[in-house]
Amino acid sequence: MDRVRTLIIAKENPSSTTHSARTAVAAVASLLVAHLFRLPEAYWAAITTLVTMQSTLGASLPISAQRFAGTAVGAAVGALVGTYFPGNVLFFGLAVFVIGLVCAALRIERGAFRYASTTLAIVLLVPRPNSQWVIAVHRFFEVSIGIAVGLAVITLWPERKSDPLGSKGNV
């Protein structure tokens, strides 16, 4: 049990009230922006913001860049494979493998591969009435909005060295 506790209890980057407030504001803002663009699954913008929000811009940039690149690759491959082999499990697995080979050959971070594969799965495996290309473009824009709003909030509302409740944030 002590091992599990050491994996959960923060030593260097604890949660703070400021971080909680910034994350909530950013998640709602990204959801509203996605709704303004009438994206059918606007919740992906909010989810992306939640995933990419970190204490500092420096900590958020790598995960944001990986998510952006991975989503672009996964959406493109998902649209292509889904156009010719819709719902085909064998081609889904093959596409995940090929994306992994390309990422390995280009020495791309595993995070980008994970996001590419996740996007591929969402585009290919969730049944929807639209064409795969429309689904892929929507997914890309939903994620891009989430990243952009999250980074904007972090930039415009930086976390201070200490939090009102005594937690220490990173700057």
Side-chain angles (χ1 to χ4, degrees), residues 58-135:
S60 294
L61 281 175
I63 194 169
S64 296
Q66 291 169 25
R67 180 133 188 155
F68 182 80
T71 299
V73 170
V77 172
L80 187 63
V81 171
T83 297
Y84 297 104
F85 309 100
N88 188 304
V89 175
L90 178 64
F91 278 93
F92 164 69
L94 186 61
V96 170
F97 182 66
V98 169
I99 289 171
L101 290 178
V102 170
C103 288
L106 297 175
R107 299 182 43 82
I108 304 290
E109 282 285 338
R110 285 186 183 192
F113 168 61
R114 183 175 59 249
Y115 294 127
S117 299
T118 301
T119 299
L120 173 75
I122 291 166
V123 170
L124 283 180
L125 303 179
V126 177
R128 296 183 190 92
N130 296 335
S131 82
Q132 297 302 129
W133 287 99
V134 170
I135 294 164

